[in-house]
Amino acid sequence: MDRSHALEAVREVATEVLSVEADQIVESARFKEDLDADSLDLVELVMGLEERFDIQVPEEDLDGVTTIGHAVDLVLSKLS
Amino acid sequence: MLISSHLDHRGRHRVAITGLGVMSPAGNDLATFWSRLNSGESCAKRIERFDPSELTVQIGCEVPDFDVSAYVTPKEARRLDRVSILGFAAAADALADANAHGTPIEADPSRCGIIAGVGIGGLITLEEQIGVMIEKGPNRVSPFLVPMMMTNATPALVSLQFGWTGPNIAVATACAAGTNAIGDAANLIRYGESDVAIGMGAESCMTPVAISAFGRMTALSGRTDDPSRASRPFDEGRDGFVMGEGAGALILERWDLAVARGARIYGEIVGYGRNSDSHHITAPSPGGAGAAACIELALQDAAIAANAIGHVNAHGTSTPLNDAAEAEAVTKVFGPRAVPVTSTKGITGHLIGAAGAVEAVAAVLSMAKQQVPPTANLDQVDPAFELDVVAGATRAIPSACALSNSFGFGGHNASLIVSPAQ
């Protein structure tokens, strides 16, 4: 999967879980500051990504994941 | 009672009722609610929120046409159980009602308290997530399950939305919770802890497991094929209650502050009694002894005689045991057929933890309008009861205090007395 496809899939999950508009989901968007997502939202988002991509994301892998771009990196690393 | 004073006979602050709100099977605004209560038409019908086909009992009283988006954002709605949204909606409407007259409330947020009666909590969410756990495993359980299901989620939401930082408490006394919450909220004001308090109740536990569980206790009416006639408080042919959902809320203010801002005052909370049967986990005490003692406590708290009560809004669930115990209790305190008695549960079904709050709204409206709605489906009062049950049509009454009773599994009894504004 290339990066643009991964971003598009992350966008689909994030718009639903975070109740934000699709155009807000860009690589630079910060979860807390730009998307009003708290720690529980992020847990739900990761659950959504795990289902969407059929991957497992252990809690320790979430350290430092603060933007949509980081989430795309995480997904791609799990798929590779 | 020193009616000219801002303090009651015990030197406590008097408590003004200045705002009312309901989300109920009988309507989501006061006018619709009042009209339906007086129609004699029960709200019970086949459950629509889920397919009840596999259940023995398939009927309930759901809140129709509830516009979630009028009260919370889509994102908020995703992390709230229905019980909390219903509760907040009733609270918000009650506050708007209070602020519609006089100078809007301008209280120190730390002097504003919330007491909410919730019998169970977010059971719909809990059941859904148990399904997720079984189907998809533990790592798919929602991180929002705990804050959605906890019993105190409803008052927590009200505090977050109102910005109120005073006492914030959930009362879980089963079917007595709504009445306990209003009495406890009144006490916040009486004893000087709060200037404004909301006393409320909320419940939405109409789920397959809960319906089955109450059904297995034989607490629910078996009239699944005749829902409109299933809830029949005090009737000879009653066979159980019909599960309902909803919320009710009362805005209470310290009397002098309510007067100073020019509030419209519906009435005053003058008496609150609460006690415990200590008899059985679900059955009422023999002869309604606990309930009678509770009513006496409320009369003593108000320092009024029984004949000062103009009507009783009964717990009146339509179960054989509750109605028999309550009938005995009322007769013991008031004498045979001495006071008009009505039960709104014939119309609304049994709203569990919300029942007392929604019925307090009904009792306040009845008192203020001097009209008592009829008890639905009352064809023949149980011949064992010496009760004057209002039935058939609305009854006009003189201006007088009203008593509202609630009794809960666990032996919890709660009685509230409201007085006309004067």
Side-chain angles (χ1 to χ4, degrees), chain A residues 5-26:
Chain A
H5 282 99
L7 174 61
E8 189 50 43
V10 168
R11 180 175 286 135
E12 284 175 22
V13 175
T15 49
E16 189 198 334
V17 171
L18 305 180
S19 300
V20 293
E21 298 299 323
D23 61 10
Q24 292 177 261
I25 305 298
V26 293

Side-chain angles (χ1 to χ4, degrees), chain B residues 115-205:
Chain B
I115 313 278
V118 181
I120 296 176
L123 193 64
I124 294 173
T125 303
L126 177 60
E127 283 194 32
E128 284 173 357
Q129 290 299 313
I130 289 172
V132 168
M133 171 96 176
I134 292 167
E135 279 180 33
K136 299 182 177 178
N139 291 332
R140 289 292 174 274
V141 173
S142 170
F144 295 111
L145 169 59
V146 171
M148 288 172 78
M149 70 162 282
M150 59 192 193
T151 302
N152 55 308
T154 297
L157 176 64
V158 174
S159 166
L160 283 166
Q161 300 277 17
F162 284 8
W164 288 8
T165 60
N168 181 5
I169 307 286
V171 177
T173 48
C175 305
T179 298
N180 277 134
I182 295 165
D184 292 351
N187 280 348
L188 287 181
I189 291 176
R190 283 170 146 186
Y191 297 110
E193 192 171 357
S194 297
D195 296 332
V196 180
I198 187 160
M200 58 178 290
E203 202 78 81
S204 182
C205 62

Side-chain angles (χ1 to χ4, degrees), chain B residues 110 192-193 242 311 351 392-393 397:
Chain B
S110 71
E193 192 171 357
V242 175
H311 89 280
L351 276 59
I397 56 165

Side-chain angles (χ1 to χ4, degrees), chain B residues 11 20 48 68 96 128 144 147 188 235 246 267-268 271 275 288 317 319 348-349 357 363-364 393 403 415:
Chain B
L20 304 173
E48 293 179 355
V68 170
E128 284 173 357
F144 295 111
L188 287 181
D235 187 79
E268 177 180 358
N275 69 358
T317 59
T319 63
T348 64
V364 169
L403 168 74
S415 294

Side-chain angles (χ1 to χ4, degrees), chain A residues 16-19 36 38 40-41 44 47 50-51, chain B residues 74-75 78-79 136 139-144 147:
Chain A
E16 189 198 334
V17 171
L18 305 180
S19 300
D36 192 29
D38 63 20
L40 297 183
D41 287 318
E44 199 180 27
M47 278 171 45
E50 287 179 329
E51 286 210 355
Chain B
K75 182 174 178 180
R78 280 175 53 84
R79 27 159 86 188
K136 299 182 177 178
N139 291 332
R140 289 292 174 274
V141 173
S142 170
F144 295 111

